[in-house]
Amino acid sequence: MLNRRHILTAATISGAAAMFPWGRMIDPPKAKPVHEAPPEAPAGPAELWPEDEELARSAPFAHAMPIPPVLRPTSVTASSELYQLRMAETQVEIVKGLQTTVYSYGGCFPGPTIRALRGREVVVQQTNALDVSTSVHLHGGNVPSRYDGLPMALIDPGESREYRYPNNQVAASLWYHDHAHGKEAENVYRGLHGAYLLSDPHESSLPLPNGEFDIPLLFRDARIEADGTLRYVSPYECPHMLVNGKERPHFAVAARKYRLRVYNVAPNRHISLRFADGAHFIQIASDGGLLAAPVPRDELTLAGAERAEIVVDFSRYAIGSSVVLENTAALESERPEVLRFDITRKADDPSRVPGVLATLPPVPKGMVEREFFMQTFPDTRINGRKYDPDRVDVETTLGTSEIWTIHNWPNRKPAGVFHAPHSFHVHLVQFRLLDRDGRPPGPAEAGLKDTIPIYPGETVRIAMTWGDYSGEYVYHCHHLVHSSHGQMGRIDVLPADPEEQAEPEKPAAPKQPAAPKQPASPQQPATPKKSGK
């Protein structure tokens, strides 16, 4: 039987299926027995690795985990900060003793953190010094269309482009990453991703851990060859787990509370994190910002591009001790440990987690309903179609509230665990989860979201209101191999006043007529349905 744990493991396979011909499924590496070892005596580098002579072996916890540097503005005005970033190849040490060439923003892997304030505009001038085209998307950002990083709005090699982010939304852990269509999965895998931390007066007034005790953690997988090469392959062949750009690092903490901003920036897999000793922590935020109230957790599962903020109290541990964070969704051939926290000192701790964190906006009441079928076999599509930038799949109007019903379409009987989940992302808006297979969301999924996992055979309903900008946007699976292969659609948001015109990203393309409606079947998913207002 396909249970939730198997489904999570299957997420590591979804990229494999999309990268290779469907009739040529690859077999997983043979599992080796797991050898548990305490932090002070980690398993040797030859244990628990796929049988692959070309793979770099690395002992866990060989690296100290870095914190991505905060980017400094090149100039400041009364209302904005100006930043400059250059995308280029950079040499870094991911596995101890090996030099690896990656793509980087500003010479950093992952990219430098941008800290922003609500109501103050951030302007980023991006220059592409790579030999591939790029496009920069602020994931979760409420951004005008021409600055959204559309899949076809490319920065070609040698060119520059300016992005303006108004920051007119509540505090949240956003991130920026590549979105060049057909290249986004590989570009993100090679390093084009970084954290964007937006704060506001309300969040800043809360007594949460801050300053040096507020840490972004960017998790992803990789395959590093024995010569240091970062090779772009199926997630089945990516046993190296990176945190902030280092392979299974360690991090020194004080015996007090920390706010950890957890990102899944892996292009093609889920992660599921828990402390090896089963310790509880408190979730305080999801993709779009603070939850209404704190949620106690002992495990955190994130699909590709999802984020969560947690507060961990390390004062429960003795000075000189350690605790390991594990990925319970790791393949059996992979190491489960991903990060070791070493409790090295005492520190004052005036922080606390209040019982009320935020007042969430009302859940939108749908004026329009639409239906989407996410198809995996024989290839990745939405409603039977692959992405066409000249075809409008959804046309809506500013201020319109909609309910979307999204199915992970079981159009072929799952072969083992190969029928993977999807990670559904909508640009421009934060949405609310209404239900999952008819069940209301738990408290951890009840906040503002921009990305939602949908498991095989599952149906979710989400609600959103379109604003504040008109123009062209997209929705897609954020298993980026799926979107690279066309699992994406175009949204045109029209002005509420017909006399207003959005500034186009490029000359408007002729709209294609909607496909004729057909009954749902394993061969032909239904097209979206739209009801009158």
Side-chain angles (χ1 to χ4, degrees):
M1 177 177 290
L2 200 64
N3 61 29
R4 181 62 61 94
R5 173 67 181 277
H6 290 147
I7 290 168
L8 293 175
T9 303
T12 66
I13 303 162
S14 62
M19 282 188 224
F20 296 96
W22 287 111
R24 183 176 158 262
M25 289 299 203
I26 60 172
D27 291 326
K30 294 180 180 179
K32 294 185 179 182
V34 176
H35 298 287
E36 304 256 346
E40 62 272 13
E47 295 181 16
L48 206 61
W49 290 100
E51 295 177 350
D52 191 334
E53 294 180 357
E54 297 180 353
L55 184 70
R57 264 54 175 176
S58 63
F61 319 131
H63 275 290
M65 186 192 77
I67 299 173
V70 175
L71 188 63
R72 293 180 179 274
T74 55
S75 63
V76 177
T77 72
S79 61
S80 65
E81 278 77 36
L82 173 65
Y83 298 89
Q84 293 181 327
L85 280 175
R86 182 173 178 268
M87 293 172 273
E89 290 190 347
T90 304
Q91 291 278 315
V92 295
E93 187 181 59
I94 298 173
V95 171
K96 199 74 171 178
L98 296 177
Q99 288 295 304
T100 297
T101 300
V102 299
Y103 295 170
S104 70
Y105 292 108
C108 296
F109 176 76
T113 297
I114 297 176
R115 284 191 172 269
L117 297 173
R118 185 176 186 180
R120 286 192 61 81
E121 182 185 48
V122 163
V123 182
V124 184
Q125 185 182 65
Q126 296 275 9
T127 298
N128 184 4
L130 296 166
D131 59 2
V132 296
S133 297
T134 63
S135 177
V136 184
H137 171 55
L138 179 59
H139 186 112
N142 187 8
V143 172
S145 173
R146 65 185 187 136
Y147 303 127
D148 187 57
L150 290 171
M152 309 306 292
L154 302 179
I155 312 173
D156 289 326
E159 295 184 350
S160 297
R161 190 181 187 94
E162 183 179 271
Y163 295 87
R164 291 181 172 267
Y165 305 136
N167 298 315
N168 57 359
Q169 59 195 96
V170 298
S173 294
L174 312 178
W175 63 302
Y176 60 100
H177 64 80
D178 184 76
H179 213 304
H181 183 49
K183 302 180 178 70
E184 63 265 46
E186 183 169 1
N187 285 352
V188 171
Y189 178 86
R190 294 199 178 280
L192 294 184
H193 53 269
Y196 186 104
L197 307 184
L198 175 61
S199 64
D200 64 21
H202 170 70
E203 179 223 22
S204 299
S205 71
L206 297 177
L208 298 169
N210 57 28
E212 65 176 302
F213 308 109
D214 179 359
I215 309 294
L217 301 176
L218 281 66
F219 289 83
R220 54 156 298 177
D221 59 354
R223 178 189 173 90
I224 309 298
E225 301 288 277
D227 63 359
T229 300
L230 173 64
R231 190 150 71 90
Y232 178 57
V233 293
S234 151
Y236 243 155
E237 302 174 84
C238 291
H240 297 105
M241 286 298 294
L242 281 51
V243 188
N244 290 354
K246 299 297 182 184
E247 216 280 323
R248 304 178 198 272
H250 62 88
F251 184 59
V253 296
R256 56 151 292 159
K257 291 186 286 297
Y258 279 72
R259 178 180 183 175
L260 304 179
R261 301 175 186 250
V262 184
Y263 289 72
N264 182 0
V265 299
N268 303 307
R269 74 155 79 194
H270 287 45
I271 56 173
S272 194
L273 303 172
R274 68 181 296 277
F275 286 100
D277 64 353
H280 283 68
F281 48 86
I282 298 172
Q283 184 175 348
I284 61 170
S286 57
D287 304 334
L290 294 168
L291 298 172
V295 180
R297 307 289 301 272
D298 62 8
E299 191 160 5
L300 178 68
T301 297
L302 297 177
E306 279 192 297
R307 292 89 66 209
E309 298 181 27
I310 64 175
V311 173
V312 180
D313 191 351
F314 292 105
S315 68
R316 65 169 66 98
Y317 301 105
I319 305 297
S321 65
S322 299
V323 61
V324 172
L325 191 66
E326 298 178 331
N327 176 24
T328 62
L331 295 174
E332 291 182 355
S333 58
E334 296 176 342
R335 294 182 178 278
E337 69 273 10
V338 292
L339 175 61
R340 190 185 73 198
F341 293 96
D342 299 328
I343 296 81
T344 60
R345 66 191 191 280
K346 295 181 179 180
D348 292 335
D349 188 6
S351 69
R352 62 183 177 87
V353 179
V356 176
L357 294 167
T359 300
L360 297 177
V363 176
K365 304 295 183 182
M367 303 161 64
V368 174
E369 295 188 4
R370 304 182 194 272
E371 194 165 23
F372 300 85
F373 291 86
M374 306 289 287
Q375 174 183 328
T376 307
F377 298 100
D379 57 9
T380 51
R381 297 171 182 257
I382 301 178
N383 289 329
R385 291 171 161 179
K386 286 186 171 291
Y387 175 60
D388 179 348
D390 295 329
R391 183 189 67 235
V392 178
D393 299 290
V394 170
E395 185 175 274
T396 188
T397 306
L398 277 177
T400 300
S401 295
E402 300 193 5
I403 293 176
W404 288 14
T405 300
I406 310 158
H407 310 271
N408 188 340
W409 184 246
N411 61 325
R412 169 174 153 181
K413 184 178 179 180
V417 295
F418 283 99
H419 189 75
H422 294 293
S423 180
F424 191 80
H425 172 51
V426 184
H427 287 216
L428 180 62
V429 295
Q430 297 287 339
F431 55 74
R432 303 291 288 279
L433 175 62
L434 298 178
D435 52 63
R436 188 181 288 280
D437 278 346
R439 300 182 299 275
E445 283 194 309
L448 297 170
K449 297 281 294 173
D450 55 54
T451 306
I452 196 75
I454 310 173
Y455 298 95
E458 192 172 54
T459 295
V460 303
R461 292 194 311 140
I462 62 176
M464 75 283 281
T465 300
W466 294 104
D468 298 312
Y469 306 104
S470 58
E472 179 184 339
Y473 295 91
V474 293
Y475 56 92
H476 59 91
C477 181
H478 218 287
H479 282 199
L480 290 177
V481 168
H482 290 181
S483 65
S484 293
H485 285 251
Q487 198 165 53
M488 180 159 55
R490 172 176 163 176
I491 310 165
D492 276 13
V493 183
L494 305 181
D497 183 348
E499 295 183 359
E500 296 179 10
Q501 292 294 326
E503 185 175 355
E505 177 61 50
K506 56 183 185 297
K511 296 178 182 178
Q512 302 295 317
K517 191 169 184 178
Q518 301 183 35
S521 72
Q523 290 75 36
Q524 177 63 51
T527 55
K529 62 181 180 180
K530 181 175 179 180
S531 63
K533 296 183 181 179

